[in-house]
Amino acid sequence: MKNTGEFELIGRISESVRDSVPEGVTGIGDDCAVIPQQSGRDTLVTTDLLVEGRHFLLPGISPGELGWKSAAVNISDIAAMGGRPESAFLSIALPGGFGPEWVDEFIAGFRELAGRFGVALLGGDTSASPDKLFINVTLLGSCEGGKALKRSGARPGDLVCVTGTLGDSGAGLRLVTEQASGAATAESGTARYLLRRHCKPEPRVAEGLALAGIPGVHSMMDVSDGIASDLRHILDASGGLGAEIETGSLPLSGELLEICRERCWEAARLALCAGEDYELLFTIAPEALGSVQAALEAAGGAVATVIGRITEAGTPLCWKGWEGEPPRGFTHF
């Protein structure tokens, strides 16, 4: 029997529980569930499962870095809705050989990033694992009632934008994979930068909050699986829209370009397909671009780059400047 793909599986689950979702609640299909409260604010809920060998490689990441990353991927989901992260619940299943020192360092890394955003660790669960390390985090946040930025708001004519740079984490993962295979990796400043981008991503909370205050921002999500996959989620959720992406406009760091020249890697492929950059991918009315740039600058956050535009429903997703099969991002199955 053919394995069910990740998004087909999510779709099957979503369809089976659709009639149980209360009116006014946003359930499966966005970065967070959105639950309205009597206070006039909405509660945001997200959860992420990290599996050894699938989402991280040991010993390619230290316990502290893994703790940081476990917090980051969830905080990023709250940021992607334009919300403020507030509290976390952590469950972890440990195989043999993980002593209290490992756990202490992991929790210290988790708290280092969570504390920066005022996120309290309020509970969770622990278990032994027969084989691999499993980590699950549930994070709660909030936003002004009815103001969560969802994937479903894109409109024809919108500009497609992204914060920061793309592909750095994917290059860092390649370096981790080389190390795991026994290949020597130069400890250059470039390599250290890319490894940090992979192991200790920076959630764009300030940027998300700034964008949530601009009426012309129509849809948003974070870049976890690569924009080649993530943009498709926005297009599908917004009624089957199309898009034209200028691959020559992708924001690439100098470090990524340097390592790609050294290793003969394809920078554009890493930027489109590798994922785990945890930048914000969003669509805006063209007239809002000046307000977006000003708001991000005022927030002290990453700048935004326009990489394309949204087209009418039924039109294709076009990767201008790309040769060969259309790019695809990371899938979990």
Side-chain angles (χ1 to χ4, degrees):
M1 181 182 294
K2 182 180 178 181
N3 288 338
T4 302
E6 175 189 3
F7 304 115
E8 289 85 354
L9 177 60
I10 293 171
R12 289 173 66 90
I13 296 171
S14 177
E15 187 61 34
S16 70
V17 302
R18 190 180 304 278
D19 59 359
S20 67
V21 178
E23 185 177 354
V25 171
T26 299
I28 298 171
D30 233 298
D31 286 274
C32 298
V34 184
I35 306 171
Q37 303 296 326
Q38 292 182 349
S39 64
R41 291 186 66 78
D42 289 344
T43 295
L44 305 174
V45 185
T46 184
T47 187
D48 264 298
L49 176 66
L50 286 80
V51 179
E52 179 188 347
R54 192 62 178 167
H55 302 101
F56 59 90
L57 298 174
L58 295 175
I61 188 168
S62 72
E65 290 171 336
L66 186 55
W68 173 296
K69 189 167 187 174
S70 300
V73 301
N74 287 271
I75 292 172
S76 180
D77 282 338
I78 301 292
M81 305 292 288
R84 190 177 301 279
E86 294 172 349
S87 54
F89 297 83
L90 168 68
S91 296
I92 187 165
L94 294 165
F98 288 75
E101 295 83 4
W102 190 97
V103 174
D104 288 346
E105 188 177 341
F106 174 90
I107 294 297
F110 187 98
R111 292 189 61 195
E112 181 183 359
L113 183 65
R116 183 193 299 178
F117 298 105
V119 174
L121 180 57
L122 298 183
D125 197 12
T126 59
S127 175
S129 169
D131 184 9
K132 297 185 181 298
L133 173 63
F134 294 83
I135 301 161
N136 187 77
V137 177
T138 298
L139 203 82
L140 277 64
S142 69
C143 67
E144 186 179 345
K147 295 299 179 66
L149 283 171
K150 302 176 183 178
R151 302 175 181 182
S152 55
R155 306 174 189 179
D158 276 1
L159 302 178
V160 180
C161 305
V162 65
T163 60
T165 57
L166 300 172
D168 294 336
S169 179
L173 176 59
R174 285 203 176 185
L175 293 173
V176 169
T177 304
E178 287 185 356
Q179 291 173 342
S181 67
T185 299
E187 284 297 319
S188 65
T190 294
R192 287 192 295 272
Y193 171 83
L194 297 171
L195 287 167
R196 180 179 176 87
R197 286 276 284 161
H198 177 67
C199 295
K200 299 185 73 173
E202 294 281 350
R204 299 301 189 184
V205 174
E207 293 87 341
L209 289 168
L211 292 169
I214 301 173
V217 179
H218 294 150
S219 66
M220 188 159 70
M221 67 179 298
D222 70 341
V223 181
S224 56
D225 296 328
I227 64 170
S229 285
D230 293 332
L231 178 59
R232 288 183 170 90
H233 299 327
I234 289 177
L235 301 179
D236 291 344
S238 299
L241 299 176
E244 293 180 348
I245 301 300
E246 299 283 351
T247 59
S249 296
L250 296 172
L252 308 176
S253 70
E255 289 84 357
L256 177 66
L257 293 172
E258 180 181 335
I259 200 101
C260 286
R261 286 193 297 266
E262 291 176 359
R263 308 296 179 93
C264 296
W265 296 345
E266 294 180 70
R269 184 174 296 278
L270 287 168
L272 290 172
C273 306
E276 291 201 307
D277 287 307
Y278 299 105
E279 297 292 348
L280 297 177
L281 174 67
F282 56 101
T283 74
I284 64 171
E287 61 270 20
L289 181 59
S291 298
V292 164
Q293 298 289 28
L296 292 177
E297 182 178 357
V303 299
T305 301
V306 178
I307 61 171
R309 67 182 185 92
I310 300 294
T311 56
E312 297 288 340
T315 58
L317 170 53
C318 177
W319 304 97
K320 299 176 74 172
W322 181 267
E323 297 182 0
E325 291 293 318
R328 291 283 177 179
F330 177 79
T331 58
H332 294 262
F333 289 87

